[in-house]
Amino acid sequence: MTDNLFTTLHVNDLTIDVPTGLLVGGQWKAGSSHESFDVLDAATGSPITSVHSATEKDAAEAMDIAVKTQEEWGNTAPRERAEILRRIFDLIMENDEKLAALQSLELGRALPDSRGEVTYGGEYFRWFSERAVSDTGEYRVAPGGRGRIVTIKQPVGPALAITPWNFPLAMIARKLAPALASGCVMIAKPAQLTPLTMLFLAQLTKEAGLPDGVFQVLPTKSAKNISVLLDDDRLRKFTFTGSTEVGQMLASKAAEKTIRTSLELGGNAPFVVLNDADVDLAVEAAVTSKMRGGGQVCIASNRFIVHEDVADRFERGVVEKLGEFVLGPGTDEKTTQGPMVSAEQRDKVAGMVEKAIEEGAKVALGGPEAAAKLTETHPDLDPNGFWYPATVLTDVEPEFEIAQREIFGPVLAVQRVSSDEEALRVANDTIWGLAGYVCGTDMKNTMRFAERMEAGMIGVNRGIISDAAAPFGGMKQSGVGREGGFEGIDEYQETKYLALDI
């Protein structure tokens, strides 16, 4: 690869200039090794472009710059930080179609879902622009009457963010926006599969007037080149979204330096349909929660736990709805279900479906036979793309592998139960607790059920729960801390107590 630092991509009728280098100290540059990696079009398996790969040396340079920049940015007036955040939001909205097309190109996701993410991700910058000027400390009389207790909020310090491939804008937005609002500088590593969206966003932050060195981006083909920063005593905050196994390993490393850590890890979300549910509404919510992003979403419903009284209607409904999805390249306006992000991800999902069938599940839609015939039934699809059909499995039991592991694909697996108590037991019988869903018309009973579900976020009679103004995060082995909402900025702040003797 040459040292070209930008590429021009043509998607539909859009021309998109995208950085392909490292953003270090406000400058786009090649990695010190001059190595690169390809970013693939999930619909064809062909390279879109190549991106420069950061080394440990580049990470060390970025950390030196972050430390030098932290004090000045931390002392910047809250109003100034807020205005920069608002300008970033405005630029995201001005470039919404480019950002959506870019995500659909590198991720494969259908354009309607990518447009939804642009709106959602951009909202974090608007939300935290408002939080930047409204977050205050406290002055109060000590209980003994003589002293005064004063607390102030200060930025934690330099932060490292590692983000996943499935939401290339929103995942960095809900980390970067509160960090900037609180006065923290940040180094970020985008996912190797989908780095282009973050690089484009980084260019927008420069255009918005974010000072050099406040936000630095280090794409790399070796995550260890960036996670080595966890050994640096000057790093004060680590935020990670990804698999439970990797997150726990990195958090253990961060704990050796007592680095403030927030984690959003794996999920195994239950979608519970109670016997008094509005089945049509439950079907709509189920399909929405499962098929957004082709099922490649951390809060996607994974285990559909349906009361036997309504199970037949529910299964017929989801088969009909999923059968309406149009499979094709994510950048095609007609597409409602794009390819999987990679061959590895497609093969993992295919293997889980095959194992479920071996264990006794029945195929109501899609499955291995439909997957094998995709090039016949969909002759317009590139055979080198990472395709998998929308699939519905019935007769699934709680002990099946597909009910025990996160699917991360367009597969809806239905389990039947005979009571609310059985549904709750099955829903909570997992080490994960990120998201959950429940549908019922008796709101007193439904809300009590939701309160007893062991998950950090619960959708009640709805399939979409994400909102920049709401706290996002899980319990059990699904994570630590919250992003978004009023709580999100706390992850990047220290509370300092000043004792006054008055």
Side-chain angles (χ1 to χ4, degrees):
M1 177 178 180
T2 67
D3 285 352
N4 291 335
L5 300 176
F6 285 82
T7 190
T8 299
L9 302 175
H10 300 281
V11 185
N12 299 333
D13 59 347
L14 298 170
T15 298
I16 312 173
D17 294 321
V18 185
T20 56
L22 284 55
L23 181 60
V24 179
Q27 305 300 315
W28 294 107
K29 57 177 289 185
S32 58
S33 69
H34 296 273
E35 293 182 331
S36 64
F37 59 91
D38 289 338
V39 181
L40 302 183
D41 180 345
T44 66
S46 302
I48 299 168
T49 188
S50 294
V51 171
H52 288 275
S53 182
T55 65
E56 289 188 17
K57 180 180 178 182
D58 299 318
E61 180 185 357
M63 190 67 209
D64 288 341
I65 292 170
V67 171
K68 292 176 182 177
T69 309
Q70 176 59 59
E71 183 175 2
E72 181 177 355
W73 179 246
N75 289 327
T76 301
R79 177 64 67 194
E80 183 176 345
R81 297 199 298 265
E83 289 175 351
I84 291 174
L85 282 162
R86 182 58 191 235
R87 285 197 294 272
I88 296 172
F89 166 76
D90 290 339
L91 285 169
I92 289 173
M93 294 300 101
E94 290 172 17
N95 290 273
D96 56 351
E97 282 299 306
K98 290 183 177 180
L99 278 163
L102 195 56
Q103 291 175 67
S104 289
L105 182 64
E106 65 175 342
L107 177 57
R109 183 175 54 198
L111 275 170
D113 290 338
S114 292
R115 289 175 175 134
E117 186 192 339
V118 174
T119 300
Y120 170 53
E123 192 62 32
Y124 279 99
F125 291 97
R126 178 159 64 171
W127 172 256
F128 282 108
S129 72
E130 298 161 350
R131 299 300 302 150
V133 294
S134 62
D135 206 51
T136 60
E138 184 180 50
Y139 178 98
R140 56 191 171 93
V141 178
R146 181 182 175 190
R148 298 295 183 268
I149 296 171
V150 178
T151 61
I152 59 173
K153 302 285 188 177
Q154 294 184 325
V156 170
L160 171 64
I162 296 179
T163 62
W165 49 261
N166 60 330
F167 278 85
L169 177 65
M171 293 301 99
I172 186 58
R174 67 187 190 205
K175 299 176 188 299
L176 178 61
L180 298 182
S182 65
C184 291
V185 302
M186 176 171 281
I187 299 169
K189 186 199 85 66
Q192 184 178 346
L193 291 173
T194 57
L196 301 179
T197 300
M198 188 189 296
L199 292 169
F200 189 88
L201 172 65
Q203 181 65 20
L204 295 184
T205 68
K206 287 171 59 65
E207 294 175 18
L210 190 68
D212 292 349
V214 174
F215 180 43
Q216 301 180 87
V217 181
L218 302 178
T220 184
K221 60 183 179 181
S222 175
K224 292 181 180 178
N225 289 342
I226 311 304
S227 62
V228 70
L229 292 177
L230 293 171
D231 293 325
D232 195 313
D233 291 327
R234 300 171 298 174
L235 185 70
R236 299 312 314 143
K237 168 69 183 180
F238 174 56
T239 174
F240 172 87
T241 298
S243 73
T244 296
E245 295 78 12
V246 174
Q248 289 174 339
M249 182 270 291
L250 293 175
S252 177
K253 191 174 183 181
E256 295 175 6
K257 300 287 185 179
T258 322
I259 296 171
R260 177 86 73 86
T261 300
S262 54
L263 306 169
E264 191 244 294
L265 307 177
N268 191 9
F271 188 105
V272 178
V273 183
L274 302 175
N275 67 334
D276 67 334
D278 178 330
V279 177
D280 291 338
L281 183 151
V283 166
E284 290 285 349
V287 172
T288 298
S289 70
K290 165 50 68 176
M291 292 300 291
R292 188 163 59 109
Q296 299 174 115
V297 177
C298 55
I299 59 173
S301 298
N302 202 64
R303 298 171 294 140
F304 290 83
I305 302 164
V306 184
H307 195 282
E308 60 190 10
D309 290 352
V310 296
D312 287 344
R313 290 175 55 204
F314 178 82
E315 290 170 359
R316 288 195 300 269
V318 294
V319 166
E320 180 181 349
K321 289 292 183 182
L322 264 65
E324 296 171 356
F325 276 76
V326 178
L327 192 61
T331 53
D332 189 326
E333 289 284 358
K334 299 187 296 295
T335 295
T336 53
Q337 180 192 340
M340 307 290 288
V341 72
S342 66
E344 179 183 8
Q345 189 66 23
R346 176 201 60 202
D347 294 346
K348 173 196 163 190
V349 170
M352 293 179 74
V353 171
E354 290 165 7
K355 179 67 179 296
I357 294 169
E358 292 174 7
E359 292 176 310
K362 301 295 189 299
V363 177
L365 179 73
E369 290 188 12
K373 297 178 180 178
L374 272 179
T375 55
E376 298 175 27
T377 57
H378 297 73
D380 293 337
L381 297 183
D382 190 310
N384 297 310
F386 312 132
W387 310 105
Y388 197 80
T391 296
V392 177
L393 299 177
T394 62
D395 294 354
V396 173
E397 297 295 336
E399 65 271 16
F400 288 7
E401 180 188 67
I402 205 162
Q404 295 291 321
R405 293 174 53 200
E406 190 171 29
I407 301 172
F408 236 65
V411 180
L412 194 154
V414 182
Q415 306 173 47
R416 296 191 178 202
V417 292
S418 58
S419 68
D420 288 2
E421 287 304 314
E422 183 185 2
L424 185 67
R425 177 181 57 77
V426 173
N428 289 341
D429 187 18
T430 176
I431 62 172
W432 291 285
L434 185 59
Y437 304 82
V438 59
C439 293
T441 56
D442 181 341
M443 288 307 296
K444 181 177 180 180
N445 181 61
T446 304
M447 287 301 296
R448 284 179 175 174
F449 191 99
E451 290 175 359
R452 295 167 68 195
M453 294 177 75
E454 296 173 353
M457 300 169 285
I458 307 293
V460 180
N461 289 321
R462 61 186 294 182
I464 293 180
I465 57 178
S466 298
D467 191 315
F472 190 105
M475 55 179 64
K476 299 197 282 191
Q477 292 192 37
S478 285
V480 177
R482 293 294 183 268
E483 297 180 316
F486 294 106
E487 297 84 352
I489 201 168
D490 295 339
E491 301 289 340
Y492 298 89
Q493 292 180 326
E494 296 281 12
T495 299
K496 181 176 286 185
Y497 159 47
L498 305 178
L500 301 182
D501 193 6
I502 296 177

